[in-house]
Amino acid sequence: MPSAVGVVTFPGSLDDRDVMQAVSLAGGTAVPLWHGDSDLRGVDAIVLPGGFSYGDYLRCGAIARFAPVMVEVVAAAGRGMPVLGICNGFQVLCESHLLPGALLRNAGLHYVCRDQALRVESTATAWTTGLEPGARIVAPVKHGEGRYTADTETLDRLEGEGRVVVRYVEGNPNGSLRDIAGITNEAGNVVGLMPHPEHACDPLVGASADGLALFASVLTAVVGAA
Amino acid sequence: MVVDVMLKPEILDPQGQAILGALPSLGVSGIAAVRQGKHFEIDVDGEMDEDALGRIRDLAGTLLANPVIEDFALRVEG
Amino acid sequence: MVVDVMLKPEILDPQGQAILGALPSLGVSGIAAVRQGKHFEIDVDGEMDEDALGRIRDLAGTLLANPVIEDFALRVEG
Amino acid sequence: MTVAPPTVDTVANAVDDPDLEQPYAELGLAPDEYARIREALGRRPTECELSMYSIMWSEHCSYKSSRVHLRQFGDLPKGDRMLAGIGENAGVVAVSDTLAVTFKAESHNHPSYVEPYQGAATGVGGIVRDILAMGARPVAVMDSLRFGDVDHPDTRRLVPGVVAGVGGYGNCLGLPNVGGEIAFDPSYNGNPLVNALCLGVLPRERLQTAKASGVGNQVILYGARTGRDGIGGVSVLASATFSDGGPAKRPAVQVGDPFQEKIVTEATLEMYDRGLVVGIQDLGGAGFTCAISETAAAGGLGMHVTLDAVPLREASMEPWEVLSSESQERMLAIVAPESVEEVLALCHRWGVIATVVGEVTGSGRLEVDWHGERVVDVVPATLAEDGPVYDRPLARPASLDALQADRAEDLPRPTSSAALRAELLRVVASPNVCDPSWVTDQYDRYVLRDTVLAQPEDAGLLRIDGGPLGVALALDGNGRYAALDPYVGAQLALAEAARNVAVTGAEPVAVTDCLNVGSPEDPGVMWQFAEIVRGIADGCRALEVPVTGGNVSFYNQTGDVPINPTPVVGVLGIHSDVTARTPMGFARAGDAVLLLGTTREELSGSEWAWVAHRHLGGLPPAVDWAAERALHAVLAQAPLASAHDLSTGGLASALTEACLRNGLGATVTLDDGTFVALFSESAGRALVSTPSPEAVEDACAAAGLACLRIGEVGGTALVVAGAFEIGLTELAAAHTGTLPALFG
Ligand SMILES: Nc1ncnc2c1ncn2[C@@H]1O[C@H](COP(=O)(O)OP(=O)(O)O)[C@@H](O)[C@H]1O
Ligand SMILES: [Mg+2]
């Protein structure tokens, strides 16, 4: 039986079905999870997808963080379950303190949707073992609040511990400090990314096929762990 | 100098509504209404005199707020 | 009850910068700095006592502001 | 403190006090219209009824000035794909045995001028609800935008707000934006145009109707609470010019809540999936009044509504305000009594407020109560169907002869290769031809994972049902052409949109339109309008495609100066295999470059004439429908590596875009008359590249289409042999720099 990847739907989640399709393309089983349920339905890994949870009116991810399902997600992350937050999901992970720092309004003040070149900085996370260290990959960014910010000490620690997962290259779309596009926690099971790997799985409808490796990585990771 | 900009009372405030809607799941009770607006802190060169006040009032009514949907309030602070 | 939330001073505020940058073309001079934040007006059910104040302070520190990047100030009004 | 209930004008009052003076003129009703209302009721209307008639008989809702002309669209052959057409919320077109798509464009011009962000945002929200009401899942949006001169202060204010509003709403709703247009012309200085289009997909059997049928069925209002926003919007703001609206008129601007719309959408789709809906209607520009009177009239039965049940934002609202409010993100569903609980529970799960507000009755009347008193008692058809119809006077403007005689073909032309090169760079940098990424990068084009082509491609192309089936969409217009000749200008808009769909390899099958003009009370404007409708109808007959829906926006003028008449046309195409779509950019070095179609000396109304001389005069390019159809046929069959339509900016623009798309240069030879070849805007043409030029030439010969082999793909420059060359870096700087420099 293929490994089960849960995809959480908050009110206002948008890329939830897109992530489920990407999980299936990678050979996994996608399981929908509902924000209001305190039940992870036996999944092996979790994705918090992109979108505008609760409209993102207050601060991106600020309200979603308090959804009942997040109590379970935080606990599972603590037990080492792979968790990936994409875009709004990354914002939720920061708001939940599963990842350090915060994502602020883009420096250019506009929402930005573009195909973005990235450099793979760490392949030591549950979600990136299938990528080549140092590789240039392309995935879309599409957000208005993706400027990664943390204090200098935190940034230095992230760099020092190899926890910057991907970095923007050939132009920084949002003014993120140190061109950071994605980070991981100390254990390497929780990853937050502003770019959208689920929109980089099939060149017909995405920016490239480079993102499929992230979903393949986690399927390998959970099979290996089982 | 502080300028607070709020949607006019008869206009829908989706942001305030979203916050109000989230309170029960946070276990917060006893709050009847929340409205969200913008808050600007403006430092003026030189004296904060009548003239400067007039300029900030103009700015508030043109750039900071759209009087069609928003009200603003000025306050001297600090 | 009013809560004002501002980005911490060391964090770049592009919105404030953009407003400042737009002033010359509007013919406004004499403004040294602009920072933009959020302003919340909260109506409490019943008395505005110590207890209610405590609840709003908690709310401000958990939901309305993100202490990683923002500071907040409380003010009783109206 | 107890507040005395507001005194309300009841039906009983109206009978008792028949001579009460009523403010019908302030509500936009003419004296004879008021007389007709009294006649229909056999008494004076109540305050609530009067506001309902003023809304339903407004230009926006009743199409009273346009209806006599729009009939021509209804008379077109329907073809065998159209499942629903004009008169529905949106047209529906079958795309397979099981699936259909629905699409429509609508304007939100006046609100966007007053509050650019919210005006544009609620424009997107409104058209999305129309699509939802047909039973479809909305899957994509497009936007067509027009602003005044780039250096006009209003333009500076409006562009960033409108673009952020279109993006803010669509992005938050999770709908990819797959195309549109942006244009600048001084004729829009005081009156921008913001037109939005939405596309939806539905299983054919899920097609919904806006009918209140089945006596005893319950009427459920769901979505946002009703507030005091936008009261009288359609009857005042959308139907009058700004100059005659003093500050006393309450501006009808609403604030949109895309998050609310998203949960309303999901809740609605779940109701459809579970078969819970008998009839459905969105609450659009005319709010609750329109929804209850149209569903009641369409059902041919009656409806009883308890207004007190409507969830309000402000308890102090009066009944006529509740009836007139334009609060966004609301829907009305007709539901069988046994399904009510399930609908309410489903809405609750999504966080959507839902309330039973009435019941379908057999009375034949629309009856509305407030605090136990009857405030409305009318035959619903008198509101929804029996509004006034005007055959307004029309007159070809006398100034048109002089305008048409002032031809751009007679203007001075560049006399050296260096000057020609410089003019090409100016044309491709012009705000109407330049790269619009500053706009389109603010829109999500990936969400939903079905976008095969989006901007900067000529058309949006979406995968349907997992593929290979797809639909293509393009939205085009050109107000300058229409100013020179509205009949031809409208046809050019149709021809361009159809061509943009055809270059992807899709077959154009259906049309929607958004007709933006000045005041219908101006006979010159009314003539333009009539010519536009006739042009589109004749064009559709020639292309054998139906008009499935559309929108009319009158009163686009500043003072008594109308905008350039601006028909914006949307064309839907079906693509049988999206994996074989043709993109716009040159793909491989060594491919042959061909120009399909005939280039004539057609420079009037062109971007060159405007950029080089700020000139508008003469006759627009001619439309040859047989040639357009031949071009469509070749584009669908020939082995092409790329295909790009020629329109504004002519071959100069098409070559620039085809080269820059993938950073591949080209060398072309334009034998006779390089200047005309580069800047003419003749219709019916496409720039293609192919590894098999003979096969393309054969296909053109078979179709009777002119075809010129003009060069070859390759290198890092655009080379016009014997004239000049421009490195791609320089070309890109010119093409992409304009909007960022203007708007930041
Ligand atoms: N306001 C807009 N919204 C979405 N897409 C747009 C908008 N304006 C332009 N586009 C897209 O940008 C591309 C280039 O636009 P344009 O130069 O008008 O193309 P063309 O002249 O070929 O019709 C097209 O893909 C068009 O759909
Ligand atoms: Mg085109």
Side-chain angles (χ1 to χ4, degrees), chain D residues 458 476 496 500 644-645 647:
Chain D
D458 285 323
D476 285 291
E496 183 181 348
N500 278 328
H644 188 24
D645 130 78
S647 57

Side-chain angles (χ1 to χ4, degrees), chain A residues 24-73:
Chain A
S24 305
L25 265 182
T29 303
V31 177
L33 299 177
W34 183 246
H35 70 101
D37 294 346
S38 299
D39 180 1
L40 297 183
R41 302 181 63 188
V43 298
D44 307 303
I46 297 169
V47 181
L48 306 182
F52 289 72
S53 54
Y54 300 90
D56 276 353
Y57 291 133
L58 172 62
R59 220 176 33 256
C60 302
I63 297 179
R65 166 204 169 186
F66 294 102
V69 77
M70 284 308 296
V71 177
E72 306 307 317
V73 172

Side-chain angles (χ1 to χ4, degrees), chain A residues 20-168:
Chain A
M20 306 222 314
Q21 289 179 24
V23 167
S24 305
L25 265 182
T29 303
V31 177
L33 299 177
W34 183 246
H35 70 101
D37 294 346
S38 299
D39 180 1
L40 297 183
R41 302 181 63 188
V43 298
D44 307 303
I46 297 169
V47 181
L48 306 182
F52 289 72
S53 54
Y54 300 90
D56 276 353
Y57 291 133
L58 172 62
R59 220 176 33 256
C60 302
I63 297 179
R65 166 204 169 186
F66 294 102
V69 77
M70 284 308 296
V71 177
E72 306 307 317
V73 172
V74 170
R79 291 193 303 270
M81 184 184 285
V83 176
L84 174 65
I86 304 168
C87 197
N88 195 230
F90 186 8
Q91 294 160 343
V92 175
L93 292 176
C94 288
E95 286 282 341
S96 311
H97 308 302
L98 285 173
L99 293 174
L103 294 146
L104 298 184
R105 184 88 188 263
N106 293 349
L109 292 177
H110 302 303
Y111 182 100
V112 177
C113 174
R114 63 151 106 133
D115 295 355
Q116 175 69 46
L118 305 164
R119 186 171 60 235
V120 177
E121 299 284 11
S122 167
T123 55
T125 81
W127 299 89
T128 53
T129 49
L131 291 166
E132 286 296 317
R136 175 190 184 274
I137 61 173
V138 174
V141 290
K142 47 190 194 86
H143 58 249
E145 313 202 3
R147 175 168 50 111
Y148 184 74
T149 304
D151 55 35
T152 309
E153 194 189 323
T154 306
L155 292 170
D156 289 344
R157 198 173 63 241
L158 287 172
E159 305 254 19
E161 295 173 0
R163 288 166 53 193
V164 174
V165 178
V166 278
R167 229 185 276 271
Y168 302 117

Side-chain angles (χ1 to χ4, degrees), chain A residues 14 18 21 57 113 115 142, chain D residues 257 441 444 446 448-449:
Chain A
L14 303 178
D18 307 345
Q21 289 179 24
Y57 291 133
C113 174
D115 295 355
K142 47 190 194 86
Chain D
D257 182 352
D441 282 359
D444 185 350
Y446 284 108
L448 299 183
R449 251 182 129 263

Side-chain angles (χ1 to χ4, degrees), chain D residues 422-435 607 611 649 651-657 660 679 718 726 730-732 734-738:
Chain D
E423 290 203 353
L424 183 141
L425 285 170
R426 281 178 72 196
V427 165
V428 302
S430 130
N432 292 327
V433 173
C434 72
D435 176 355
E607 196 61 25
V611 167
L651 185 62
S653 161
L655 280 169
T656 300
E657 291 169 356
L660 292 179
F679 297 116
L718 170 60
I726 307 174
E730 186 184 359
L731 195 61
H735 190 55
T736 60
T738 309

